[in-house]
Amino acid sequence: MNILLLGSGGREHAMACRIAASERCSKLYVAPGNAGTGEVPKCENVACDPMNFAEVGQFVTSHNVAMVVVGPEAPLVAGIADYFAKETNLKNVMVIGPGASGAQLEGSKDFAKQFMQRHNIPTAAYRTFAASEVEDGVAFLRTLKSPYVLKADGLAAGKGVLIIDNLDEAERELRGMLVDGKFGEASAKVVVEEFLSGVELSVFVLTDGRHYKILPTAKDYKRIDDGDTGPNTGGMGSISPVHFADKPFMQKVEERIVAPTVKGLHDEGIDYKGFIFVGLMAVRNGNTGELEPYVIEYNARMGDPETESVFPRITSDVVDLFEHTWQGNLHQTTVDVDPRTAACVMMVSGGYPGHYEKGKTITGVDQVEGSMVFHAGTRRGADGSLQTAGGRVLCITSLADNMPVAVLKSYQEVEKINWEGCFFRHDIGQDLLKMMI
Ligand code: AMP
Ligand code: GLY
């Protein structure tokens, strides 16, 4: 079948590799894609805007596309799956991604918190405030202990969460978000919540709306600098699996979080076919010493750069998995996973996540051996050279029998690649290593 994948990041390159590897896939279009996706066998980049649903629909019809896999959240929150479901000539196209009602799990933090409360899913205590309630919000902040967690309700390009030590500053920021529109419409409502102290991890679920498969776990590295310092980024690397997410821990995750989430969606009449990305905090219970999972956030898509370490470990035919997802019989299939560890190191433009320059010539990618190079912000120059075209540029993933070897291998390959201003973190996986010894 012909398949269309929407998106242009490292996540989509990693997905494209697994989709194109399926015998079921005759042709994979990526809209708009990047220099990496354009070079995957069977793949072709197409200049189609994932937010222009009519344009996507026309492409699907004219190119006989049977399946659309949605990479990023924006088209999901804007209702691409609903658009396909209501158009007569598109309604049989298998769209992998929830409709707008399900995507609210990511699109509205207040919706997600209320959903968790309704279904008794463990998460931080919270209250939500609108602009008219700003003084109540300030009063609530004063009842909490530092650090203070403020979350813009809507999508804010990953920047809408503030964690602040000082109460005066937290009050100022809350006013800034609610009254001065710091994040525009996204902060018309703000969730104020209890700070959870622990270790984060990402759990990925594929669901057909009733049944689900838990995919490999991963850990993301969000801050720009070593030792988890500096501003937040889209993600500077990832490791899969996460060693402390062992069987007993994952049993708690499944019983307390994954199963009630899928059942909750179903019970609320939300037909959810796609990925659920559960951002978790593993909090140590002071009495028992055990790790307990709490939900920090939901996303309606796969993570980036988690996909770059998770997808290479999925050995099952992903097109087959997606088809079962669409048909509602995911329970009739299995997800096979490579037991090795994947370590991914993201290489970014100098200055990212602040201002950075584009159009730098990248060298050394052809020297990489035995590791995978996933492109994020790249393009081909007029002379055919590989150039930077974004903040996150390339992601190097290695598989090995254990984490230290996987990490070492990725760093060896990273050393071969260069461009003016290129930057990466040097400590991906080090925190996990410390926990292991
Ligand atoms: P997000 O932009 O939603 O991914 O959130 C950014 C980061 O804020 C998360 O990855 C966590 O590290 C942190 N965070 C969010 N909520 C909490 C919380 N309740 N307690 C502690 N850290 C949090
Ligand atoms: N890596 C975090 C995210 O994709 O949101």
Side-chain angles (χ1 to χ4, degrees), residues 127-145:
R127 278 183 62 187
T128 303
F129 301 95
S132 59
E133 301 160 319
V134 63
E135 296 311 324
D136 296 341
V138 167
F140 181 63
L141 269 179
R142 290 178 184 160
T143 68
L144 298 176
K145 279 190 294 208

Side-chain angles (χ1 to χ4, degrees), residues 10 17-18 29 31 43 84 97 125 184 245 334 416 428:
C17 291
R18 298 298 305 134
Y29 299 102
C43 259
F84 270 65
T334 54
K416 297 177 180 171
I428 301 303

Side-chain angles (χ1 to χ4, degrees), residues 11 220 222 234-235 277 297 299 301-306 392:
R11 168 182 51 212
D220 176 19
K222 286 207 171 79
F277 161 175
E297 60 165 356
N299 296 300
R301 53 170 173 88
M302 284 298 296
D304 191 349
E306 289 98 325
R392 294 193 292 174

